Amino acid sequence: MPGWKYSLSLAAALLFALALAWSSLGRQIDFWAYDLLLRALPPSQQKSASVIVAIDEQTLETYGGLLALRSPLAQALDILSQADPLAVAVDVVLSEPRTPEENAPLAEALGRIPTVVLAANLRAEQGAGWEMPIEPFARHAAAVGHAHAEPDPDGVCRRVLLAKAHDRTRLWSMGLETHRVASGAPPIAETPQHLELGDARIPASYRDDRQLLLRFANPAQPIERISLARLLEDPSLAETVRGRAVFIGVLVLGGLDRYLMTPYSYGRPMAGVEINATVYETLARGRFLQPVSPATALLAALLIALVTAWIFHRFSGRTAVLFGAVALLAAHALPVVAFLQDAVFPASQSLLVGWMCFGVGAAWNYLGVGQARDRAERQTERYQKAVHYVTHEMRTPLTAIQGSSELISRYSLPEDRQRQIGELIHKESQRLSRMVEMFLSVERLSAGELELHRESVDADQLIAESVERLRPLAARKRIQIDHQPCDDAPIDGDRELLEYACYNLISNAVKYSPADTAISVRAWRENERTFVSVEDQGYGMDPSELRDIFKRFYRARTADRSGENGSGLGLALVEEIVVGHGGSIAVESQIDRGSRFTLDLPAALERTEP
Ligand code: ADP
C-alpha cells in the first residue's frame, strides 16, 4: 500500500468529514441522534416533582374565556395554598391593567402565598421588550421569571436559556425561579461554568448562554395535571400538590400561543406551561445533560480516524474490513455511551469521520488486494516461463547423452571414436550437473546452508577469466569488452561463488546489449572494501523494475526485446552470494542508455607472516 498517498487520502477524508459535521447537515444529524437517544433512553419512571393546574377547554368554557380568568385564578390559588405546595408558578402573563375591582381578589390571593412566581414575557415584535406583571400582582411575587423557550433551528425545543436579558433587565427562567423558591430561596450565584443555588450546582456555562438541556419526563408517566375547573369544583383535588411545585398555565389542545415541538412531540406540540414545568423537573431531579467540549469531541474524532487508518494499514483483505467494521461500530456506540453518562456527544462527528475513514480504508484495501492478485498472476507467469526455459535447457544435454550412450551400446565403434563419445557424455553431464547445482545453490544460499570457503581472491583475476570465457559470445555481436586492470583488489571470500557472480554480471551485460556497443569492467579498492563494476550501453531497464530483478524468476520488460533466453535466477543468486559475504549490490539503469552493476565486498586484509 503506497504510504503517503494512503495517508493523504485519509487526511482529506477526515477534513471533509469534519467540515460536513460542522455544517448545517452535521447539526441536523446531531439533532436527530439527540432526539433518538432521548426517546430510546428516557429517564426512569417516577412521580413528577410538580403538578400542572391546567387552564383547559373546560375551564375556558365554564368561566368565559381568558379575559375572565382573574377571579377563578384567585379562587384556585386559595384552594391550592391549603395544601402547602413548595411553590406556585403562575404561567399566565398578568400584564393588563384592568380595573382595581377586578384585580383586588387576585392580588389578595397572591399575597396569601409567600412562594408565588409570576411570568414575564418577551414580546415577539422587535423592540417591544418585557411584558411584566402589573404592580399590584408583582408586589406579592417572590420572583418574576421569564417564560420563554426558543426552538432550535429545526423548530424543535430541546433547551431553554436559564437567563434572558433585554433592555438591561435580565430575568432568570421561570422554572429556575420556581426551583429556587421551592428550595428555600437561596441566592443564585454565577461562575463561568455554573449557576450555584446554595450547595447545588447547575452546569450552564456562560459560553453557551446559560442553556439547560431539558430532561423531558418519561412519556409513560408525564407530569401530573389537574384541570383548574375541576379543582374549583372539587377542592379536595388540591391534596395532590402537597410538597410539590405547581405550574398554572393554559393547556388547550391545538392551542393558543407558546406551543412548541419537542423530541417527544411526534407532531403534537407541547404547551409553554409544560415546558416550564419540565425546566423545573430537570432542575429538581439534578441529573443534567451536558454537551461534551468541542476539544474532546475533536480528539475523539481524530482517535477514530487514527484507529481506522492503522487497521487498514496493518491488516488487509477481509480481516481489515472486519476490524474496520468494529471500529465503525465503536464510532456509532460513542454517542450512546456518552449519553448514558449524561454527556451529549456530537454524533455527526464520530459517524461522518468513522464512515469516511472506513470508506477510504476499504477502497485502498480493495485496490491493494487487486494489486496483490495481479502480482501473484505475474509471478506465476514468470515461474512458468522459467520452468519452460530450464526444461528446454536440460533437454539439449540429455538428448546428447541419450544419443551417444545408445551409439556406444548398439555398435562396436573404434576406440578413438568411443573415447570421443565418452568425453562428450562427460561434458554434457557436467553441464547438466552445473545447471542443477546452480538451482540448488540459490535455495541453499538463501536458507543459509551453503558454507563459504573464505580466502583472499583477486577480483581483477576473476574479471580477466570471465572476460576471456565471454569473448567469443561478445565477438559474435561485435561487442567490445574493456577491462581496466587493477593490481590491488583482493576480496575476502569464496572463489567459486565470486567467480560465478562476476561471470553472471558480465554475461548479462553481453546478453542485454545490442551489437556494436562496448562494456567496461573494472575492480578497485577503497580502504577495507573492494568494488567490482560492470557497465554496458545496452537495452537498460525501467528504474521502477530495479528492485525486482533480484527476485527469483523475474525478468525485466526489456529482456524480451533482447531476444535472449533466461531463467531470471542469475541475479537472485548473485545477490545471495554478495549478501552472504557481507556485501551489497547496486544497480543504475536507464532504458536504451545502459546499466551499471556495482558490487561492494569486504577486502582481504594483508596478513603479515611472523
Ligand atoms: P536471466 O538473465 O536468466 O533472465 P538474471 O537474474 O541474470 O536472469 O537477470 C534478471 C533480469 O534482469 C534479466 O532477465 C534482464 O531483464 C535484467 N538484466 C540483468 N542484467 C541486465 C543488463 N546488464 N542490462 C539489462 N537488463 C539486465
Side-chain angles (χ1 to χ4, degrees):
M1 207 178 268
W4 67 269
K5 281 190 192 163
Y6 173 64
S7 313
L8 206 68
S9 45
L10 266 169
L14 173 66
L15 287 182
F16 183 61
L18 286 178
L20 266 188
W22 292 329
S23 72
S24 55
L25 172 74
R27 216 141 119 215
Q28 191 55 56
I29 295 178
D30 290 341
F31 288 150
W32 283 329
Y34 180 82
D35 293 353
L36 204 75
L37 286 170
L38 209 63
R39 290 196 287 254
L41 306 165
S44 56
Q45 282 188 40
Q46 49 186 309
K47 198 171 147 198
S48 57
S50 58
V51 177
I52 293 173
V53 172
I55 301 171
D56 53 4
E57 277 104 345
Q58 189 191 348
T59 313
L60 293 178
E61 259 169 41
T62 317
Y63 297 95
L66 265 181
L67 294 176
L69 268 180
R70 289 192 180 175
S71 149
L73 197 57
Q75 287 173 44
L77 285 172
D78 275 339
I79 295 170
L80 290 168
S81 72
Q82 301 300 311
D84 260 340
L86 284 181
V88 178
V90 182
D91 192 4
V92 178
V93 185
L94 301 168
S95 58
E96 282 182 39
R98 309 272 181 85
T99 60
E101 295 74 46
E102 256 181 297
N103 293 338
L106 181 56
E108 279 164 28
L110 288 169
R112 282 190 282 274
I113 305 178
T115 56
V116 153
V117 178
L118 294 183
N121 198 20
L122 199 55
R123 261 187 299 241
E125 312 93 69
Q126 260 212 331
W130 288 112
E131 207 178 353
M132 298 290 259
I134 54 172
E135 202 278 334
F137 302 140
R139 185 165 13 125
H140 299 295
V144 175
H146 80 76
H148 212 72
E150 234 165 303
D152 283 328
D154 64 343
V156 177
C157 173
R158 299 179 183 89
R159 67 199 84 220
V160 293
L161 302 186
L162 289 181
K164 202 154 175 64
H166 187 84
D167 275 352
R168 283 196 235 133
T169 306
R170 184 163 173 258
L171 294 181
W172 298 115
S173 132
M174 182 172 211
L176 174 62
E177 284 289 20
T178 311
H179 177 53
R180 179 177 72 86
V181 169
S183 10
I188 297 174
E190 293 184 69
T191 71
Q193 296 303 326
H194 296 91
L195 294 182
E196 289 174 348
L197 205 63
D199 293 338
R201 300 180 99 200
I202 303 161
S205 74
Y206 180 74
R207 201 192 58 209
D208 290 337
D209 291 334
R210 304 272 185 225
Q211 64 166 331
L212 176 79
L213 288 168
L214 296 177
R215 283 267 197 195
F216 293 93
N218 191 318
Q221 193 169 26
I223 299 173
E224 217 173 300
R225 65 194 57 183
I226 40 178
S227 153
L228 192 138
R230 289 209 50 225
L231 179 73
L232 295 187
E233 277 167 21
D234 178 5
S236 72
L237 289 177
E239 257 322 291
T240 185
V241 309
R242 192 172 291 281
R244 296 157 95 182
V246 180
F247 282 80
I248 307 175
V250 178
L251 218 150
V252 181
L253 254 187
L256 302 159
D257 63 346
R258 295 207 288 121
Y259 271 71
L260 289 172
M261 291 296 175
T262 71
Y264 282 129
S265 284
Y266 299 110
R268 192 188 70 81
M270 198 178 245
V273 65
E274 283 176 284
I275 292 175
N276 281 322
T278 301
V279 176
Y280 176 81
E281 293 285 335
T282 309
L283 294 170
R285 300 251 182 265
R287 261 193 79 184
F288 301 105
L289 280 168
Q290 270 181 283
V292 301
S293 76
T296 314
L298 187 64
L299 219 66
L302 287 180
L303 197 72
I304 292 171
L306 276 178
V307 169
T308 312
W310 178 79
I311 287 173
F312 283 103
H313 177 72
R314 172 75 183 68
F315 303 100
S316 65
R318 283 198 199 149
T319 323
V321 175
L322 192 75
F323 285 152
V326 172
L328 191 56
L329 206 68
H332 284 72
L334 196 60
V336 183
V337 174
F339 196 88
L340 289 170
Q341 312 296 316
D342 297 332
V344 180
F345 190 92
S348 62
Q349 257 181 55
S350 60
L351 295 191
L352 288 169
V353 168
W355 274 104
M356 291 278 171
C357 293
F358 178 82
V360 168
W364 275 105
N365 177 50
Y366 178 75
L367 287 178
V369 170
Q371 277 169 357
R373 196 182 43 230
D374 290 350
R375 261 202 307 277
E377 274 169 14
R378 280 202 299 274
Q379 168 98 13
T380 317
E381 196 186 324
R382 283 203 306 268
Y383 184 76
Q384 281 168 347
K385 272 191 183 168
V387 168
H388 182 78
Y389 164 79
V390 169
T391 45
H392 181 82
E393 286 290 285
M394 283 180 164
R395 201 180 300 143
T396 322
L398 272 177
T399 318
I401 293 170
Q402 251 178 358
S404 311
S405 51
E406 208 178 315
L407 268 179
I408 293 183
S409 57
R410 278 222 189 144
Y411 310 102
S412 61
L413 298 169
E415 204 172 312
D416 59 333
R417 183 81 180 114
Q418 273 187 16
R419 198 174 342 103
Q420 224 180 2
I421 292 177
E423 272 168 16
L424 182 79
I425 291 176
H426 182 66
K427 222 177 86 196
E428 290 301 321
S429 55
Q430 262 186 336
R431 196 172 139 195
L432 207 54
S433 91
R434 264 204 311 275
M435 217 180 280
V436 172
E437 192 58 34
M438 189 179 107
F439 293 132
L440 290 181
S441 303
V442 185
E443 293 303 323
R444 277 192 269 156
L445 252 184
S446 64
E449 284 170 7
L450 203 70
E451 222 181 292
L452 300 178
H453 302 289
R454 284 197 185 257
E455 58 182 310
S456 175
V457 182
D458 182 359
D460 209 53
Q461 195 190 340
L462 289 186
I463 293 172
E465 282 168 13
S466 302
V467 168
E468 267 333 293
R469 281 166 61 197
L470 283 163
R471 281 233 192 266
L473 190 65
R476 241 180 280 156
K477 290 169 90 176
R478 294 184 304 282
I479 290 174
Q480 161 105 27
I481 305 183
D482 172 25
H483 170 209
Q484 301 162 29
C486 165
D487 55 12
D488 180 28
I491 306 172
D492 176 32
D494 186 305
R495 178 180 297 279
E496 227 175 286
L497 292 175
L498 290 173
E499 188 185 332
Y500 176 83
C502 286
Y503 179 83
N504 194 284
L505 291 187
I506 304 169
S507 84
N508 274 350
V510 177
K511 272 162 70 181
Y512 301 112
S513 289
D516 298 311
T517 52
I519 294 170
S520 150
V521 191
R522 70 189 187 99
W524 73 97
R525 172 176 172 176
E526 279 173 28
N527 302 324
E528 294 178 3
R529 311 296 295 177
T530 293
F531 295 85
V532 174
S533 100
V534 180
E535 192 173 347
D536 62 48
Q537 302 166 341
Y539 301 110
M541 288 164 281
D542 191 298
S544 68
E545 288 184 289
L546 294 183
R547 264 190 312 164
D548 293 327
I549 55 172
F550 300 103
K551 291 179 185 158
R552 286 172 213 182
F553 309 123
Y554 190 90
R555 304 199 73 215
R557 285 193 281 276
T558 45
D560 291 334
R561 259 176 60 195
S562 70
E564 293 284 354
N565 280 322
S567 60
L569 278 171
L571 283 181
L573 187 55
V574 173
E575 195 192 28
E576 296 282 2
I577 291 171
V578 172
V579 171
H581 277 80
S584 62
I585 179 165
V587 53
E588 300 147 74
S589 188
Q590 265 185 324
I591 288 202
D592 288 333
R593 283 283 183 79
S595 316
R596 175 166 58 210
F597 285 83
T598 311
L599 303 183
D600 170 353
L601 290 156
L605 298 178
E606 224 90 357
R607 265 168 241 153
T608 41
E609 298 292 327

